[in-house]
Amino acid sequence: HRGSKAKVVPAFGKNMAEVECVNCGQCAAVCPTGAIVVKSEVDMAWKAISDPKKFVIAQIAPAVRVAVGEAFSLPPGEVATGKVVAAMRRMGFRQIFDTCFAADLTVMEEAHEFIKRLESGDHLPQFTSCCPAWVKFAEQFYPDMVSNLSSCRSPQQMFGSVAKGYYARELGIPPEDLYVVSVMPCTAKKFEAKRPEFSPSGVPDVDLVLTTQEIIHMIEESGISFESVEPEAFDVPFGFASGAGVIFGATGGVAEAVLRAAAGSAGQNGASGALEYREAVQVNFNQVRGMAGFREACVKVGDREVRLAVVNGLGNARSLLEAIKRGEARYDLVEVMACPGGCVGGAGQPVASGAGVREARAKGLYRVDRSGPIRRSQDNPFIASVYAKWLDQPGSHKAHEALHTSYCPRRRIAGEEIELLAGRCAKPVDVGVCVGTSCYLKGSYAVLKNLVDLVEASGLADRVNLHAAFCFENCDKGPSVSVDGELISGVTPERAAWIFETLIKPRALGQAEHDAAPARRD
């Protein structure tokens, strides 16, 4: 609208969940006037902490620890893990864990999945699935590549699943009374936690997601002197992590962590199918490090050369995906993060005061990795304990149930149809053309236009109900056309004429003859 009737809303007046927004929050991070802000959920956190029926636990993402101190006069990249833990305990959180532990779980599952794909050659390249904004982007714009996404849940959701599915039982608490709070650098994590895939039986695995900015606000609200608070350690068993789990917060970190595990693999145990690991293997993979929007490398995994790419920023991701589709690029493993620099540049972080801030945060994570006693996920004894106690082994049925998921193409706009030709006879031929994002990009609008022209030229407009539908959930085989419920895939603009002549026109003429016939008398 215009003037006083103008509105700032998503397309077609829909809510954010129904349009192409991927929830990355970068609009808020770069808004020059501060008019766009992340919706605060701090009140919900205080309400849960104050509820005597709730046992409130928290997990802290790796990128948070190298950014939270910026709000309290610490330099970017200064590791403030212990101070955050101590402050949150004083706020009333019962137990505080490290998402890096769940990142180690992710590495174990993703490396197992990657080795299996590498050996079979199926669904390569394998795309990482830790970034929910990237996952939603792929579901919307590249549905034909959704099967290439790793089936592993993100570390946030792995933690929530294990906490609700197993740890609550150990504590003797009903899953609905164990309240899981995530402290994340990313606004898309709020969206991810609300995905129906992660709310089995109606109980969400993660109840609430707070950004780094929100936890800073809570510390300030509490009156805690962050500068003088003494650091404290995470709780166990989910508080001990390898360096591989820590570097998840920087672009290239997920790929490097998986490579550390995959390169250490000595192959699968024939009896169990589990991976076996060697002791002395490469740990640092400097080829995948850095802040550049696109990087590629070729590394040795066992006896095989593995080609991988690392991208951050969805513009770079789009360019890479198009190159892969054109056959100009071939990779075995691709890491994608939506935010510049990876999670260290997430929209929930303190606003960067300079160009080098994200790089300084990433360097802080690599310092933690270098100084830690364990640098590979498979060497984490608490990971081994969790598998032995609850999950059997990486890739097992139990592990798959708790730590994996599946993704599917998303509708561009849910439940909407645009009627173009409304047949007025008793029973018109119903024709729908999908104009969802994937089909639209493949030429479905031209298919729609050709069909309209053919129907009108034949004089059958009153016999055909022709409309545009926004999704038939057949994105990888589109463009798709439905004729009286019969779905036809791969319809090019040229093939529209065949659809009309063989399916639409005979049915429309048959209906015309039926209507023209004299009524039968009983």
Side-chain angles (χ1 to χ4, degrees), residues 157-446:
Q157 296 306 138
M158 283 196 180
F159 176 89
S161 177
V162 171
K164 292 287 182 81
Y166 296 97
Y167 189 57
R169 191 186 315 156
E170 189 169 283
L171 294 174
I173 299 171
E176 59 269 21
D177 290 338
L178 183 66
Y179 197 88
V180 178
V181 176
S182 299
V183 183
M184 295 284 142
C186 173
T187 59
K189 289 294 180 183
K190 291 177 179 283
F191 159 77
E192 180 184 49
K194 292 180 173 63
R195 287 184 67 129
E197 297 95 326
F198 305 130
S199 296
S201 305
V203 178
D205 290 332
V206 174
D207 297 281
L208 182 65
V209 178
L210 300 173
T211 63
T212 310
Q213 294 179 24
E214 287 173 290
I215 203 66
I216 289 168
H217 183 65
M218 289 184 72
I219 294 170
E220 292 171 338
E221 272 191 339
S222 303
I224 295 171
S225 175
F226 191 81
E227 297 85 345
S228 59
V229 70
E230 288 295 321
E232 296 180 10
F234 285 114
D235 291 291
V236 291
F238 312 129
F240 185 84
S242 74
V246 173
I247 62 175
F248 258 56
T251 174
V254 179
E256 181 168 354
V258 172
L259 285 174
R260 289 181 186 182
S265 167
Q268 289 186 319
N269 183 307
S272 66
L275 294 181
E276 295 182 337
Y277 292 99
R278 296 189 294 259
E279 287 299 321
V281 294
Q282 182 179 354
V283 174
N284 291 334
F285 292 86
N286 295 315
Q287 310 98 305
V288 300
R289 298 184 183 183
M291 290 287 114
F294 168 74
R295 304 180 298 287
E296 60 181 351
C298 190
V299 299
K300 198 88 167 176
V301 174
D303 298 326
R304 176 167 177 168
E305 291 276 323
V306 173
R307 289 181 54 82
L308 67 148
V310 175
V311 291
N312 62 93
L314 293 178
N316 294 320
R318 186 186 290 276
S319 298
L320 177 64
L321 289 167
E322 290 297 332
I324 291 173
K325 290 180 71 172
R326 291 193 299 268
E328 298 171 2
R330 186 192 66 80
Y331 299 100
D332 300 301
L333 179 66
V334 177
E335 178 200 301
V336 184
M337 291 190 180
C339 295
C343 299
V344 292
Q349 298 276 65
V351 177
S353 57
V357 169
R358 297 187 191 96
E359 188 172 1
R361 293 171 182 168
K363 286 181 178 178
L365 295 178
Y366 286 113
R367 283 196 300 271
V368 175
D369 170 43
R370 285 196 306 273
S371 62
I374 293 175
R375 302 187 65 195
R376 303 188 310 169
S377 299
Q378 61 265 37
D379 298 330
N380 185 341
F382 287 94
I383 290 291
S385 174
V386 164
Y387 275 109
K389 189 189 299 185
W390 295 324
L391 302 173
D392 292 340
Q393 63 189 23
S396 69
H397 176 72
K398 287 184 179 179
H400 194 84
E401 287 287 310
L403 307 179
H404 291 252
T405 187
S406 60
Y407 301 104
C408 61
R410 281 184 174 268
R411 295 182 177 186
R412 186 170 182 234
I413 299 177
E416 286 289 326
E417 290 189 351
I418 302 172
E419 193 172 276
L420 297 173
L421 295 176
R424 293 185 295 276
C425 69
K427 190 178 179 182
V429 182
D430 187 75
V431 181
V433 179
C434 178
V435 292
T437 301
S438 178
C439 289
Y440 179 85
L441 294 174
K442 294 175 183 175
S444 67
Y445 187 79

